[in-house]
Amino acid sequence: MITAIVMVKADVDRIPNVAEEIAAIDGVSEVYSVTGNIDLIAIVRVRVHEELAEVVPGRINKVSGVRSSDTHIAFHAYSRHDLEAAFSLGLE
């Protein structure tokens, strides 16, 4: 599974609509409205890199109101659960 974090700049008056349209795209698991230099963060999960090319430039970037995007591919996922297991001594 390939996970990509896609940071999206959108037209201010279309942010809610853009978020909903991106969330409806196959391969997009979550969309967050955020503060800062970007407007939305989309989490994309696909099986192969070729699908990533279909989802990001092929679908996300074509949503009306998307001004630009910046995609980051994750190498490894760390969660609280993973970190607790990694540092656990096995004592309950």
Side-chain angles (χ1 to χ4, degrees), residues 48-80:
V48 295
H49 283 96
E50 291 78 14
E51 290 177 18
L52 194 58
E54 293 172 20
V55 173
V56 180
R59 305 277 314 276
I60 291 175
N61 288 349
K62 292 182 179 176
V63 170
S64 178
V66 170
R67 293 174 41 216
S68 65
S69 69
D70 187 19
T71 303
H72 299 261
I73 298 174
F75 292 126
H76 186 80
Y78 297 91
S79 70
R80 183 174 179 180

Side-chain angles (χ1 to χ4, degrees), residues 2-38:
I2 298 162
T3 300
I5 297 89
V6 183
M7 296 181 226
V8 177
K9 287 188 180 184
D11 293 333
V12 174
D13 60 336
R14 295 235 342 116
I15 291 172
N17 301 87
V18 170
E20 289 178 12
E21 288 182 45
I22 291 173
I25 295 171
D26 286 340
V28 175
S29 62
E30 303 156 69
V31 178
Y32 298 94
S33 176
V34 297
T35 62
N37 295 331
I38 57 170

